[in-house]
Amino acid sequence: AQSVTQPDIHITVSEGASLELRCNYSYGATPYLFWYVQSPGQGLQLLLKYFSGDTLVQGIKGFEAEFKRSQSSFNLRKPSVHWSDAAEYFCAVGHAGNNRKLIWGLGTSLAVNP
Amino acid sequence: EPEVTQTPSHQVTQMGQEVILRCVPISNHLYFYWYRQILGQKVEFLVSFYNNEISEKSEIFDDQFSVERPDGSNFTLKIRSTKLEDSAMYFCASSILGGGQGETQYFGPGTRLLVL
């Protein structure tokens, strides 16, 4: 069965520190991979996506993610976190042949200390 | 920048009552979706809709749920007889295309439904 695992439920980092949020997926076919962010009271905003090609993808707000097929991972990174990055981060996978249904991880809540 | 909107932002209802959640997708998008997130659980796909019909639905989307595009702008989710376990955040999304293209789904802010 398709699944997405985000091992870290909650992470706290200091402002200016680097960040890595983990995402592992279980999928039998070529996945389409997404990271979304949800700030309080806001909808789910797309940070970045991977469909094919370069396995290192750049997104908005200075985020990037690297697709590693051998590890079934799609970890999200940011070199220097800002206080405004505090939010809930969701990893999701879509079927290469049918992107209509996204499978989601549980999310990682990020807190940023000043 | 165009965005998906949802109303109401919060709704409280009594068990057994009907609720209608409303969404206005981005205007040139052709595929529409509903997802829900029960507190503390994963976001779950409910249904996708294209060309005025359901294109895919999950096991959750049973007979008590229905979707409709009543006019050229709104997309609604109806729950006929709400249960306590329907309490969740409901997200609407839309995409220009769907299926095999990896098209991005754009999400609304959600409607938090509480069934008492």
Side-chain angles (χ1 to χ4, degrees), chain A residues 3-5 32 34 36 38 41-44 46 49 51 90 95-106, chain B residues 31 33 35 37 40-45 48 55-56 89 91 98-110:
Chain A
S3 67
V4 176
T5 301
Y32 289 167
F34 305 83
Y36 284 85
Q38 184 181 29
Q42 304 296 312
L44 294 160
L46 180 73
K49 58 189 178 185
F51 296 153
F90 295 93
H95 193 304
N98 176 4
N99 192 42
R100 287 191 285 267
K101 175 180 162 181
L102 293 180
I103 307 297
W104 297 78
L106 194 54
Chain B
Y31 284 83
Y33 314 82
Y35 291 81
Q37 184 182 29
Q41 298 184 24
K42 295 184 178 183
V43 176
E44 303 170 290
F45 169 80
S48 60
S55 55
E56 186 176 2
M89 177 74 91
F91 292 105
Q101 303 298 320
E103 279 296 327
T104 300
Q105 295 180 24
Y106 294 86
F107 285 80

Side-chain angles (χ1 to χ4, degrees), chain A residues 1-78:
Chain A
Q2 308 156 14
S3 67
V4 176
T5 301
Q6 293 180 248
D8 305 305
I9 295 174
H10 185 86
I11 286 181
T12 300
V13 299
S14 298
E15 190 168 18
S18 64
L19 173 70
E20 183 170 30
L21 302 182
R22 295 182 291 166
C23 173
N24 293 97
Y25 66 90
S26 173
Y27 206 75
T30 302
Y32 289 167
L33 296 158
F34 305 83
W35 275 99
Y36 284 85
V37 61
Q38 184 181 29
S39 300
Q42 304 296 312
L44 294 160
Q45 181 184 24
L46 180 73
L47 283 176
L48 46 77
K49 58 189 178 185
Y50 171 80
F51 296 153
S52 64
D54 193 346
T55 56
L56 184 64
V57 293
Q58 303 297 319
I60 63 171
K61 305 184 180 185
F63 284 92
E64 66 177 27
E66 186 171 12
F67 170 56
K68 293 185 177 180
R69 185 185 298 274
S70 61
Q71 298 178 19
S72 297
S73 69
F74 188 56
N75 294 346
L76 181 72
R77 300 193 294 251
K78 186 169 184 177

Side-chain angles (χ1 to χ4, degrees), chain B residues 14-75:
Chain B
Q14 295 293 321
M15 190 169 56
Q17 294 296 304
E18 174 183 286
V19 296
I20 297 176
L21 309 183
R22 291 182 167 78
C23 169
V24 178
I26 295 173
S27 62
N28 63 335
H29 285 190
L30 301 178
Y31 284 83
F32 315 117
Y33 314 82
W34 284 101
Y35 291 81
R36 78 173 184 188
Q37 184 182 29
I38 295 171
L39 192 63
Q41 298 184 24
K42 295 184 178 183
V43 176
E44 303 170 290
F45 169 80
L46 291 177
V47 66
S48 60
F49 190 86
Y50 168 71
N51 199 26
N52 283 319
E53 61 182 27
I54 291 173
S55 55
E56 186 176 2
K57 61 182 181 179
S58 72
E59 295 174 352
I60 303 167
F61 195 87
D62 60 21
D63 290 344
Q64 71 161 342
F65 291 93
S66 62
V67 288
E68 189 180 27
R69 188 155 164 82
D71 51 45
S73 60
N74 289 282
F75 178 53

Side-chain angles (χ1 to χ4, degrees), chain B residues 81-109:
Chain B
S81 178
T82 50
K83 305 171 187 171
L84 296 176
E85 55 264 36
D86 293 327
S87 295
M89 177 74 91
Y90 287 81
F91 292 105
C92 174
S94 68
S95 62
I96 295 177
L97 298 174
Q101 303 298 320
E103 279 296 327
T104 300
Q105 295 180 24
Y106 294 86
F107 285 80

